[in-house]
Amino acid sequence: MVRRRVASFGYAFQGVWSALKTEVHLQFHAAATVVVLGLGLYLGLERWEWVAVAVAIGAVWSAELVNTAVETIVNLVSPEYHPLAGRAKDVAAGAVLVMAVAALVVGLLIFGPKVWALLA
């Protein structure tokens, strides 16, 4: 049982790595994650701010991974164009957009005042 649990983590990491290698948007999110983490360290975020940033980052990554899974499944079951397949892919992409905008708002609320204070 322990081996199966360990293997399932391996498969999950393999899935993240596979998506990271092939999905341009996920690569963008990875770069943004590095920048945000570096900026957070530089600005000395408080614990609650780190919590908000971590949740936002995790939510965007999760949405992007689910979007990738939806697109992959839709492409498998509907290799030819079908309006419902297109709709499923558009809605999944929309979920990523909504979460990315929410994460941007979190970032502006947390980093905005700190960056503004440095510039002023």
Side-chain angles (χ1 to χ4, degrees):
M1 181 162 154
V2 172
R3 273 193 182 150
R4 278 194 271 166
R5 294 286 179 215
V6 171
S8 68
F9 278 105
Y11 296 137
F13 284 117
Q14 184 179 6
V16 172
W17 182 246
S18 173
L20 190 55
K21 289 190 306 189
T22 60
E23 298 299 318
V24 174
H25 291 111
L26 194 57
Q27 293 167 1
F28 171 79
H29 293 306
T33 297
V34 169
V35 170
V36 166
L37 294 177
L39 188 59
L41 289 171
Y42 177 76
L43 294 174
L45 296 185
E46 305 229 0
R47 182 178 303 232
W48 74 266
E49 293 170 320
W50 278 117
V51 169
V53 168
V55 169
I57 289 170
V60 170
W61 275 70
S62 295
E64 191 66 61
L65 290 167
V66 169
N67 179 52
T68 299
V70 168
E71 287 183 352
T72 302
I73 291 168
V74 168
N75 290 342
L76 175 67
V77 300
S78 182
E80 300 296 322
Y81 176 78
H82 190 281
L84 291 176
R87 183 168 183 233
K89 291 167 84 171
D90 291 347
V91 170
V96 176
L97 178 63
V98 167
M99 193 60 248
V101 169
L104 178 62
V105 170
V106 169
L108 290 173
L109 290 171
I110 290 175
F111 290 102
K114 294 177 183 304
V115 171
W116 185 258
L118 285 177
L119 298 175

